[in-house]
Every structure is written in C-alpha cells, then in structure tokens.
Amino acid sequence: MDPIVEQFMAKIQAKNPAEPEFHQAVHEVAESLIPFIEENPKYKHAKILERIAEPERILIFRIPWLDDKGEIQINRGFRIEMNSAIGPYKGGLRFHPTVNLGILKFLAFEQVFKNSLTTLPMGGGKGGSDFDPKGKSDNEVMRFCQSFMTELSRHIGPNTDVLAGDIGVGGREIGFLFGQYKRIRNEFTGVLTGKALEWGGSFIRPEATGYGAVYFAEEMLKTREDSLKGKTCLVSGSGNVAQFATEKINELGGKVVTFSDSTGFIYDPDGIDAAKLAWVMELKNNRRGRIKEYAEKYGCEYHEGERPWGIKGDAAFPSATENEINEKDAKKLINNGCTVICEGANMPSMPEAIEVYMEHKILYGPGKAANAGGVAISGLEMTQNSIRLPWTREEVDARLQQIMKNIHETCVKFGSEEEGYVNYVKGANIGGFVKVANAMLAQGAV
Ligand code: NDP
C-alpha cells in the first residue's frame, strides 16, 4: 500500500473503530484520490479528504413503537449528514436488521461522490434503522415509520436534508413517513423523494436506479463498439433495482437468467421475460414472498444459500447488497466469459474482486457511478416539487439517459489510462471529488 494512503487509513481506523464497511469505502476512494491530491496541493493544505471522511453531523435516536400484540418494541434510528458543500444532504433510508453506524457511514460517504457526479446540487447523507419490515403487518410498519419520523422530522427539511428509499424502504414506507412529516410540520414539501405520482412523485423514480445502471452499461459497451443486445445477464437481488434493471435489459434485447434474495438464487436459462418479471414484482412488492417460489412456479433451478456468480453470463448486474462478490466469485465470472460488471447495488464487490476486474481489464462500472440514476431522478423530483410542475415520463427518461451519459463521460475524463483503458473507479472518485472539494475550498474552514 502507498505509505501516504496507509497513514491516512491508520487515522481513519483509529477514529472509527469497528466500522469495516466504512474503512473499505474510504480506502477505495483514498487510493484513487491521494495521488491526485498530491498533484493538486490546494486540496491537501485545506485537508479536504480528511474533512470529507468526517460526517458533518450524526443523529442516533430511539424508536419505540407498538406491535400488533400491544407490546412495545424498540429500534435504533440513524441519520448521517455527511456533506452539504454542494446542496442539502440527500440520500436514502435503509430498514434492515444488519443496519449499524458503520454501514450507514459507508453509504453516506459514497453518496457524497455519487450525488456530485449527477451534476445536480445535492449533498450527501444516509439513514435508517435496524428495524426489519419482513414479517410485519402494514399497521406495524406504519406505527414504526410514524415513530421514526416523529423524531427525525425536527432535523430535516426540503432545504436541509431530503430522504428517500433504499433496502427495505419502498413506496409503502415513503408514504407513511411523508404522512407523519406533513402532520407534524404542517407543510407539504419535497422532504422525501420516491413519493407516488398522485402526491408529488416523479415519473421514472421507481425505475431510475435499475434503468440508469443499464444505460451506464450500454455507455461502457459503446466504448468497445458493443451493446447488451443478445447478451446473457446475471442479476442479483429481486427488489427495486433488480426488477427495473431486468425490465430495461429485456427492452434492449438482453436476457436475464438469475434473481436472488437473502435466502438463495434462481436460474432460469429461458430468461425472465416481461410476464415472469410482472409475477416477481407481485411476489416481492405485494405478497412479500421468497424468490424460491419462482423456481416452483416456473420449474427452474433454485440454489439455497448461494449467489448467482457461478452461472455463465456475459454481463453481471449485482443489485442486492454490499460485499456480495468476493475474489472467488469474480474469478468465476471472468472464467465464464463475463466482460461487464455494472453495479446496481452499493459496494457489492469486495476489494479483492475489484482487483480481479482490473487485472482482466473488463468493463467495470462501480456503484457510485453506475447506480447514480436513482438519486439523479430524486434530484429531479425535488426540482419538480420546487417549481410545482410535473414533467412527463418521456422528459424525465430523456434527462436520466443524458445524466448517465454525462457521468460516463466524467469517468472517461478522469479515469482514462494507457492504451485507451478506462479505470471507472478512479474516474468516478476523482470526478465526484473535484466539485465538492472546490465548493469546500470556496466556503472556507467549515
Ligand atoms: P430492495 O429492498 O428493494 O431489495 C433488496 C434486494 O436485495 C432483495 O432482493 C433482498 O432480499 C436482497 N438483499 C438485501 N440484503 C441482502 C443480504 N444481506 N444478502 C442477500 N441479499 C440481500 O432494495 P433496493 O433494490 O432498493 O436496493 C438494492 C441495492 O441497491 C442496495 O445496495 C442499495 O443500497 C442500492 N441502491 C438502491 C437505490 C434505490 O434507488 N433503491 C439507489 C442506489 C443504490 P430479501 O428480500 O431476502 O431481503
């Protein structure tokens, strides 16, 4: 390891003990940025990287709520307000039993760079709770969301901190959270994105992360005069991002053969076509069932407790969660002929897997660039809320495509290396950093 990176990481680890995901995210960024900062000493003197790695504010709070038996349950809530140099804090909420401070700090840190890459005026934040919506009734989820918002409402606002969904937080949860905010604050504002169309939502927001990741993959493929048409694709997860990535891949003539959830994965060599996808959406978004049922319904393979990376495919769209591809998985993917890895999820590839991608010079789109479409359309939802005017589906989709193109161009600008190879990790990290760093320089020691 570069001794300056090593020194920097030693301080991060000492200051943020027992937060491995946060260390991992900062390390990846530091490796790209430190050489760049050494060449641009103004950032070094102003300690921009040290400041970016320190959240501006962290809120941790108790969430008491009543379950259906009338018993009190207690969860822990978090909001990490990471950086507001270029706009109000903006980022999703995750409700999952694995949520802890380190995971949310990693997500908030990534969000700062991602939001900057979109070119929209949004700072970075992330929040959530260790609450598990699985197995809870709609009423229990509502009471939990109301309690969560009762505390958080005093700290957020459309010009301060704007929330959205992430794992375990979809349309249902956004509705309950928004209702409680409106009731407490007595104002109808764009404090949450991912709202339904009837009450301030934007067309294409549910689709944006998955669609955006596929648009980004197409941009990467274009650099090699190729496209997704006719390609076999592996998708992990079966939630929001996985579903809409699959819809767009199908539209562009690719074939998706896998889906997963936290209990296993299905392999359908015939492809998950529009009808099967509609069935998965009903299963996951309404019935809230397990992906195993797909194998029973369509008579295909189900692999309990495994991930889909051993299946032969041309392109992979990890869209479940962090660290879901290890070194062995990466080697399997590449040995099976996979040449595109485009991350719908945040940090799904472990550092050793990324090294394998780099070594083989495949097209690798890291999450902070590839999945930025979601927050980009959230930014456009904020704009529509501010001007009190909704845009059409076509208009928003055209803007999404343009934004993904711009992000790709930024990655090429900052990530091009010898022989035309584009290091998208470096490109995204430096491209995302420069705008935030310049704003921080201009705003002084704040
Ligand atoms: P959803 O809750 O809709 O779906 C998550 C999917 O991933 C589910 O299939 C879930 O399975 C699976 N999953 C969750 N945790 C694990 C785990 N520990 N191991 C294996 N599988 C798991 O979330 P999203 O689709 O919104 O989010 C997926 C990823 O995309 C996350 O990394 C998120 O941070 C990222 N992302 C999401 C954005 C958005 O707009 N929604 C924007 C940018 C990034 P199960 O049903 O069993 O829990």
Side-chain angles (χ1 to χ4, degrees):
M1 203 195 292
D2 175 326
I4 309 181
V5 176
E6 200 168 338
Q7 252 178 22
F8 175 74
M9 284 312 301
K11 283 191 196 151
I12 292 287
Q13 281 162 5
K15 232 178 166 182
N16 305 276
E19 294 177 1
E21 293 85 2
F22 181 59
H23 304 162
Q24 184 182 333
V26 174
H27 185 205
E28 187 228 80
V29 166
E31 273 193 323
S32 309
L33 283 183
I34 285 179
F36 176 76
I37 290 172
E38 289 295 313
E39 286 165 20
N40 294 277
K42 61 182 177 182
Y43 300 131
K44 188 174 176 178
H45 300 320
K47 297 215 166 99
I48 299 290
L49 187 56
E50 288 82 345
R51 280 198 269 158
I52 283 187
E54 183 68 24
E56 287 179 15
R57 188 176 302 106
I58 295 181
L59 308 161
I60 303 183
F61 50 96
R62 180 173 66 197
I63 313 166
W65 56 280
L66 278 180
D67 69 15
D68 285 346
K69 293 190 208 108
E71 243 176 72
I72 291 192
Q73 300 291 335
I74 298 127
N75 285 97
R76 184 171 290 171
F78 302 88
R79 186 70 184 166
I80 318 294
E81 296 185 333
M82 198 76 191
N83 194 298
S84 61
I86 62 168
Y89 309 108
K90 177 83 192 87
L93 295 175
R94 178 175 290 191
F95 292 168
H96 196 273
T98 57
V99 161
N100 59 38
L101 184 59
I103 287 185
L104 294 178
K105 278 169 69 180
F106 120 62
L107 289 163
F109 180 76
E110 292 269 303
Q111 197 80 45
V112 173
F113 296 84
K114 183 188 306 191
N115 292 2
S116 164
L117 281 169
T118 67
T119 71
L120 300 172
M122 297 182 288
K126 198 86 187 187
S129 172
D130 57 0
F131 172 76
D132 187 359
K134 275 199 213 98
K136 306 287 189 305
S137 70
D138 286 350
N139 279 333
E140 287 178 323
V141 171
M142 181 179 73
R143 286 195 291 272
F144 171 80
C145 287
Q146 289 178 338
S147 183
F148 182 90
M149 185 52 88
T150 299
E151 174 58 32
L152 197 57
S153 61
R154 72 187 79 202
H155 305 288
I156 60 175
N159 297 313
T160 312
D161 187 355
V162 180
L163 321 175
D166 189 73
I167 292 178
V169 179
R172 174 182 63 170
E173 290 75 15
I174 295 288
F176 294 148
L177 291 162
F178 184 79
Q180 185 73 351
Y181 180 86
K182 182 164 65 63
R183 188 175 179 204
I184 292 173
R185 299 287 289 258
N186 194 26
E187 54 184 39
F188 193 112
T189 57
V191 69
L192 276 142
T193 57
K195 302 185 288 298
L197 280 176
E198 298 85 351
W199 41 278
S202 172
F203 277 111
I204 304 280
R205 177 59 190 95
E207 295 90 337
T209 308
Y211 278 18
V214 176
Y215 292 147
F216 194 83
E218 281 286 75
E219 288 302 314
M220 291 200 293
L221 280 159
K222 263 192 220 161
T223 66
R224 298 190 180 175
E225 284 158 23
D226 202 353
S227 78
L228 281 168
K229 193 160 192 221
K231 292 214 167 16
T232 298
C233 302
L234 312 175
V235 172
S236 67
S238 46
N240 172 269
V241 180
Q243 293 168 11
F244 288 106
T246 300
E247 185 166 285
K248 189 50 77 178
I249 292 168
N250 284 343
E251 235 176 73
L252 296 177
K255 180 167 85 168
V256 174
V257 294
T258 62
F259 261 159
S260 71
D261 64 16
S262 47
T263 42
F265 82 91
I266 59 103
Y267 172 43
D268 182 349
D270 296 335
I272 301 165
D273 61 19
K276 291 173 182 173
L277 178 60
W279 187 87
V280 171
M281 287 180 171
E282 170 59 25
L283 172 78
K284 284 291 172 183
N285 309 347
N286 297 329
R287 283 204 286 125
R288 299 179 192 274
R290 307 276 77 212
I291 200 65
K292 185 180 180 183
E293 295 174 43
Y294 180 102
E296 288 154 13
K297 165 108 180 136
Y298 294 107
C300 70
E301 290 174 24
Y302 171 68
H303 299 258
E304 177 91 19
E306 287 182 45
R307 289 164 178 162
W309 315 125
I311 301 293
K312 191 170 166 47
D314 307 306
F317 291 83
S319 304
T321 192
E322 57 274 2
N323 291 330
E324 54 168 320
I325 303 183
N326 61 26
E327 184 180 5
K328 242 168 102 185
D329 297 326
K331 286 184 176 156
K332 275 194 243 166
L333 282 166
I334 287 170
N335 288 340
N336 276 332
C338 180
T339 57
V340 183
I341 297 188
C342 192
E343 295 182 341
N346 285 310
M347 208 168 76
S349 304
M350 298 175 99
E352 303 77 25
I354 298 175
E355 274 175 35
V356 175
Y357 309 155
M358 297 288 176
E359 204 181 297
H360 288 83
K361 295 210 167 3
I362 61 159
L363 294 171
Y364 166 53
K368 63 170 83 67
N371 70 38
V375 73
I377 301 308
S378 278
L380 299 186
E381 184 173 329
M382 288 163 71
T383 307
Q384 293 168 78
N385 292 161
S386 296
I387 61 174
R388 299 189 193 280
L389 204 63
W391 292 333
T392 63
R393 187 179 172 87
E394 292 67 33
E395 193 169 354
V396 180
D397 195 25
R399 284 178 194 266
L400 173 63
Q401 289 187 46
Q402 190 56 50
I403 288 172
M404 297 316 295
K405 230 180 214 191
N406 294 346
I407 295 174
H408 182 267
E409 271 168 25
T410 303
C411 291
V412 172
K413 178 175 168 194
F414 290 103
S416 288
E417 293 181 345
E418 68 281 354
E419 290 163 23
Y421 173 66
V422 182
N423 179 337
Y424 288 92
V425 174
K426 184 171 140 195
N429 287 340
I430 299 178
F433 173 78
V434 169
K435 185 172 158 195
V436 178
N438 289 342
M440 289 173 75
L441 280 181
Q443 291 167 21
V446 289

